[in-house]
Each structure stands twice: as C-alpha cells, then as structure tokens.
Amino acid sequence: MTPSSTDSTQNPNTGARTSPDLSDMRPDDWVERWLPRSWGPYARLCRLDRPVGTWLTLLPCMAALVQAADGWPTLFRLFIFSLGALLMRGIGCCFNDIFDRDIDKKVERTRFRPLTSGQITLKNALWFVLAQLVVCAMLLLALNEYSRWLAVALMPIVIIYPLCKRFTYWPQVVLGIGFNWGMLMAWSDTQNAVPLSAVAMWLGAVLWQVGYDSIYAYVDVRDDKQLGLHSTALRFKDKGKIWISGFYVATVALWVWAGSAMQMAWPYYLVMAGIAAHFTWQMRVFDLARPERNFMLFRSNMSIGVLLLVAALAGTITV
C-alpha cells in the first residue's frame, strides 16, 4: 500500500503537479498502529477505519430516537441502535466488497481494499459477514415485533445495493433507503408506530444521501465509465450542481414540514436554517473537476448529521 493524500502533490523530479492518490485505504491509521495484524483486514473490510459512514448512518437515527421519544431516549435504546448502525453499515460494506471484488481491482480509489488485494479470502469474508449477522439477530431480541419485521425487510436492500450500479443510474437511492432505515425503526420501537411526519424525516434523509453520495460518486466517474458501471454522477453529468441542489432543497423542505407536523419548538427551525446554509456552502465549493475537494465535501456532511441531531434536541427539549 502506498501513502495517500487528498491534496495534489508535486513530482520531486519534474516539479509538475500530479493527481492526488484517492485510495480509501490508509496504511498509517489506528488500525495499522493498534490492532493485531491479523485483525486489520477485517476492520478495513467493515470500514472501521473509515467511521464517517457509520456516523452518517447513526446520527439521523439518533435524531429520530429523540423525536420519537419527544426528548431523551433511554440509554439502552441508544446503545442498541448505535451498535446496530455500526454492524449494519459494516455488513453493507462487506457485501459491497464481496460483489465488487473483481471490479475494485480496476478502480483507483478501491484497488487496495482487503478482499480485492488478497488480504482476505472470499471464504473468510463470508464467515465474517455471518458472524456480524448473528450479532444483529441477537440485537433484534431487544426490539419490539414491529421493529423486527422492519429489520428483516432491510436485509434485501443491503444485499442488492452493490448490484444496483450494474443496471441503474440511481444506486444512491437504494443506498439512502438502507442507510437511513434505522430512522423508521427508531419510531417503530419507541412508539410502535411510524407516523407520516417520521416518514417525511426519513425521506428527507434519503434525498440528502442521494445528494452527498452523488458528490462522492464524481470521484469515480472515469473508472465507472471505463467499467460500464452506473451512478447518479454519470446520470447528472455536468449538471450535477443543479441536481444535487434540488435534492438538498427537497431535504430541507421535508425536514421543515415534518418538524411542523411534530410540533417542534422554534429552535428546531433555527438549526434547519443552519443546515440550509451548510448545503449552500457545499454547492458553492462543489467542483466536478476536483475529486479531492469532493472527498472533503462528502466528509463535511457529518456536520449535517450533527446539526440534525441538535435540531431534534432543540425542538423537543427546549422549555
């Protein structure tokens, strides 16, 4: 593995600027320093070394837990949903790498992933997925029946997502549905019901993810074209800023309407204004031709997740 950077570097021999190495595997992170060498490939397979995706799964779910509880959720429920988010994101990443193990060899960003680079065998990867699924099944015992059925309905979505890029330009929609499914389960487990306002919050999160994952997809446009794969970036082409702006506007509109339907207190809308401002900044900075900048913008959406949680707290706990 070679060191990676998100900034362009200068060739020491020629002085010319070279393209940044956008590999999503880092050789000098905490996995390399702290975990036993035999554990490292498994941690990378489920993306423990790249926690942004886990936070982007968990933070909207935590916001839903707060709204469903109309205040602080129980610590036990927070623990169950946090562990569930970590595991389901990891399982999704494992399925993605299993299905894409041959494709990943030909993509700049993914060529060093454990399965495609031979650090893990396919057999061991499947055993690892099974182990994670067993733990998830045990977590279901802590949920009500409604939530268990919702969890069962999620599994086909998690499995089919990696295949979507082969036949549709909209794999990000499937990813958004699965990534944010915990928001629906937060309501079903807390209230034993999923009201329309909760569905609106979830749908807003799905559209938000289509937006920010489309930014991420522009990093792989060249490789996807060569491999005959599909993504929203290839669908939007040079109109990406217009499309993504539309998804962000719809996200804010749905979250504002849902907050009104839930009778959120006025600070909720103040934080929503902050989210809208962050989306505006993203679109001002977004550049189709700057993949390293798009990486930065993708990661910045963790701030949106934090703001969404703050909005839920401000709208329910304010006296």
Side-chain angles (χ1 to χ4, degrees):
M1 226 183 280
T2 57
S4 302
S5 172
T6 56
D7 298 315
S8 296
T9 56
Q10 191 172 51
N11 187 308
N13 298 319
T14 66
R17 303 298 291 182
T18 59
S19 299
D21 182 355
L22 298 176
S23 168
D24 61 5
M25 295 290 112
R26 301 290 186 261
D28 56 351
D29 57 11
W30 69 270
V31 171
E32 185 74 20
R33 293 192 300 268
W34 298 106
L35 290 185
R37 185 168 297 274
S38 60
W39 293 14
Y42 293 96
R44 298 188 193 282
L45 184 63
C46 65
R47 306 291 194 274
L48 285 181
D49 59 324
R50 297 179 65 80
V52 173
T54 300
W55 284 112
L56 288 171
T57 304
L58 177 58
L59 288 168
C61 183
M62 291 178 69
L65 283 170
V66 169
Q67 289 177 320
D70 195 25
W72 295 106
T74 65
L75 288 177
F76 180 72
R77 189 168 277 124
L78 276 173
F79 170 76
I80 293 296
F81 276 84
S82 296
L83 184 54
L86 177 69
L87 287 167
M88 287 310 302
R89 191 254 179 161
I91 290 168
C93 290
C94 289
F95 276 122
N96 183 79
D97 285 11
I98 287 170
F99 285 122
D100 287 355
R101 61 190 184 279
D102 294 325
I103 293 174
D104 283 346
K105 296 176 182 178
K106 306 169 186 176
V107 177
E108 175 73 13
R109 183 175 58 84
T110 61
R111 66 197 187 282
F112 292 132
R113 286 181 174 175
L115 194 54
T116 194
S117 62
Q119 299 173 58
I120 295 178
T121 65
L122 177 59
K123 179 181 178 181
N124 286 344
L126 290 170
W127 278 113
F128 184 51
V129 171
L130 180 60
Q132 293 175 88
L133 287 171
V134 168
V135 178
C136 281
M138 294 172 64
L139 289 181
L140 293 184
L141 299 176
L143 305 179
N144 63 18
E145 185 176 0
Y146 190 171
S147 302
R148 291 171 193 164
W149 283 112
L150 280 177
V152 170
L154 172 62
M155 282 311 303
I157 299 171
V158 172
I159 294 171
I160 198 175
Y161 160 68
L163 302 174
C164 290
K165 64 175 75 76
R166 292 161 171 80
F167 58 83
T168 177
Y169 284 104
W170 299 94
Q172 280 74 20
V173 174
V174 181
L175 180 63
I177 290 171
F179 238 58
N180 298 287
W181 199 257
M183 297 177 73
L184 301 178
M185 293 178 61
W187 278 89
S188 65
D189 193 59
T190 305
Q191 298 279 358
N192 203 34
V194 183
L196 183 59
S197 55
V199 174
M201 288 296 300
W202 169 74
L203 184 57
V206 172
L207 297 180
W208 166 42
Q209 178 144 14
V210 173
Y212 72 69
D213 211 68
S214 295
I215 292 175
Y216 194 53
Y218 274 98
V219 176
D220 294 333
V221 161
R222 182 185 63 183
D223 293 315
D224 287 347
K225 280 183 179 178
Q226 293 176 348
L227 294 169
L229 301 176
H230 303 82
S231 72
T232 47
L234 288 172
R235 173 66 179 82
F236 302 160
K237 297 180 181 177
D238 59 349
K239 293 183 173 62
K241 187 170 289 192
I242 297 173
W243 275 93
I244 296 168
S245 296
F247 285 118
Y248 281 170
V249 168
T251 293
V252 174
L254 282 164
W255 286 349
V256 168
W257 178 87
S260 176
M262 294 178 192
Q263 299 182 329
M264 294 283 104
W266 66 267
Y268 173 87
Y269 306 100
L270 189 62
V271 181
M272 282 292 135
I275 289 175
H278 194 289
F279 283 152
T280 301
W281 168 78
Q282 283 189 40
M283 290 298 93
R284 288 177 63 87
V285 174
F286 179 48
D287 186 341
L288 303 181
R290 296 284 300 277
E292 73 281 3
R293 181 178 292 181
N294 297 342
F295 257 140
M296 178 272 292
L297 287 175
F298 166 77
R299 290 193 297 268
S300 77
N301 277 277
M302 193 164 70
S303 299
I304 299 293
V306 172
L307 287 173
L308 183 61
L309 176 57
V310 170
L313 289 167
T316 56
I317 295 176
T318 301
V319 261

